[in-house]
Amino acid sequence: FNSEKIPAKLFEIIKKHYPDFTGKGLNKEKVFVKLYPGKTYNDAVMRGVFSDMLKLIENFLLFENFKKDEFKMRVQLMDEFSKRKLLKLYEKNLNKAETILNAGDAHDIEYYRNKLRIEQSKRVNEMIHKDIYVNTQSTEQLISDITTLIFLMEMIFKNLQLINLQKKNDYKYDLNFEEEIDRFLEGSGSKYLDNNYIKYYYYTFRLLRTNDEKYYILLKEFAYSGSGGLSLLEIRDIYTALLNYCYFKLSAGEDNFVRELFLLITKMV
């Protein structure tokens, strides 16, 4: 049985029955006759043909999905060219990957995941093809800082989701690393609050968690400053948290928050 052209022949046979894939000609025995004229039906061979066809379909779907993400494609090519010592092609795809990465304004978690992927690839490429004694302190620190940013974004955002669910549904969740993150951002890791997404997630989380006016003021100042890089939906969420805090204060009899509420609504409009 010559299997080289069989999947293509099978595809042409099946294609005629699209989209219902029904009909008298679409059973294993009749398909076998068309694939292997003059041969005796062999069920094991047919199972193998359909298995091969499925593998081709899976590979096609994977490739189609891969093509949609040019950044991922460029980074994968970088790694392959580095392994093969094709350094000019590595640099060419590195430049394209960095252009794609920096095309947008939002430095969100996806941006930093992608940036980490580039920096890790560059580090491995240096280790393989350049002087092993070259000073890599700045590269290693950058990779560490990006890794920390990603962890903070993921953890604070997840805790923010959980605190919202607690308030809406009276659920009880463990807010992992809450105290550790607080100490870190209020102390040695304060530089990470320069990142707008960390500010957005952390100030919103602390406001919902504590009802401390300190975080209302910090979040409001951040919102009024322009919230650079955040989407309109994310900015809306910030104002929603601020408005809810004003309603909370008004329900507690603090009438001075009428003015705060008015100013927030004016800003939103």
Side-chain angles (χ1 to χ4, degrees):
F1 296 97
N2 183 355
S3 62
E4 289 184 5
K5 297 182 180 180
I6 294 301
K9 289 175 67 176
L10 177 60
F11 175 75
E12 291 300 323
I13 293 168
I14 293 175
K15 185 173 70 171
K16 295 174 183 178
H17 297 272
Y18 173 85
D20 298 325
F21 298 106
T22 58
K24 295 180 180 179
L26 199 60
N27 63 61
K28 289 193 292 184
E29 289 78 7
K30 290 185 177 180
V31 171
F32 185 90
V33 170
K34 293 178 181 179
L35 293 175
Y36 303 104
K39 300 286 185 180
T40 302
Y41 177 76
N42 186 318
D43 195 63
V45 170
M46 280 306 296
R47 289 199 304 271
V49 169
F50 281 112
S51 177
D52 291 343
M53 186 69 174
L54 178 59
K55 289 177 184 176
L56 287 172
I57 292 169
E58 289 173 341
N59 288 336
F60 170 76
L61 293 174
L62 286 170
F63 182 68
E64 285 297 301
N65 183 62
F66 189 63
K67 283 197 306 181
K68 293 177 184 177
D69 190 337
E70 188 182 357
F71 176 84
K72 187 187 296 183
M73 183 176 69
R74 293 298 172 188
V75 173
Q76 191 65 44
L77 285 170
M78 284 163 55
D79 292 344
E80 293 303 320
F81 287 135
S82 179
K83 290 175 189 175
R84 290 162 176 77
K85 300 181 181 180
L86 301 171
L87 300 186
K88 287 186 178 179
L89 289 173
Y90 176 89
E91 291 293 337
K92 179 180 177 181
N93 280 276
L94 170 61
N95 291 335
K96 288 183 177 180
E98 289 181 328
T99 298
I100 294 168
L101 177 68
N102 296 314
D105 294 328
H107 286 191
D108 57 6
I109 192 165
E110 195 60 31
Y111 169 87
Y112 284 105
R113 284 178 182 144
N114 289 338
K115 185 169 179 60
L116 179 62
R117 185 68 184 82
I118 285 179
E119 296 302 329
Q120 288 172 329
S121 176
K122 287 162 64 176
R123 180 70 187 95
V124 170
N125 187 63
E126 287 177 352
M127 291 172 65
I128 295 173
H129 302 295
K130 297 185 179 180
D131 187 346
I132 60 173
Y133 298 106
V134 69
N135 188 344
T136 60
Q137 180 180 352
S138 60
T139 302
E140 298 293 358
Q141 185 62 60
L142 177 60
I143 289 173
S144 177
D145 288 347
I146 296 171
T147 303
T148 303
L149 262 174
I150 292 169
F151 168 77
L152 289 170
M153 285 184 179
E154 287 182 332
M155 201 69 254
I156 300 170
F157 180 67
K158 175 50 65 178
N159 282 344
L160 179 55
Q161 287 181 315
L162 295 180
I163 200 72
N164 271 313
L165 288 172
Q166 281 189 177
K167 288 180 174 291
K168 291 177 182 177
N169 303 304
D170 198 29
Y171 294 157
K172 178 63 179 175
Y173 294 101
D174 293 327
L175 303 175
N176 296 329
F177 294 101
E178 178 187 4
E179 294 179 0
E180 291 84 353
I181 289 173
D182 288 346
R183 287 196 298 270
F184 181 65
L185 290 179
E186 300 290 340
S188 62
S190 60
K191 68 177 183 179
Y192 291 100
L193 283 169
D194 291 338
N195 179 277
N196 281 344
Y197 274 88
I198 298 292
K199 283 181 184 175
Y200 160 40
Y201 295 151
Y202 183 65
Y203 292 159
T204 306
F205 171 75
R206 293 302 295 162
L207 181 61
L208 295 177
R209 181 66 163 157
T210 67
N211 284 323
D212 187 334
E213 193 169 334
K214 165 188 172 181
Y215 294 105
Y216 169 79
I217 293 170
L218 287 170
L219 187 60
K220 183 180 70 170
E221 288 175 349
F222 173 56
Y224 284 10
S225 71
S227 315
L230 272 63
S231 69
L232 290 176
L233 182 62
E234 289 162 338
I235 294 170
R236 186 205 68 183
D237 288 343
I238 290 174
Y239 277 96
T240 298
L242 293 170
L243 289 171
N244 287 338
Y245 184 79
C246 288
Y247 293 134
F248 165 75
K249 284 293 191 178
L250 288 170
S251 67
E254 298 191 33
D255 294 339
N256 57 306
F257 272 85
V258 171
R259 182 175 183 275
E260 285 290 319
L261 188 62
F262 174 76
L263 291 174
L264 284 173
I265 293 172
T266 301
K267 277 284 185 180
M268 290 176 70
V269 173

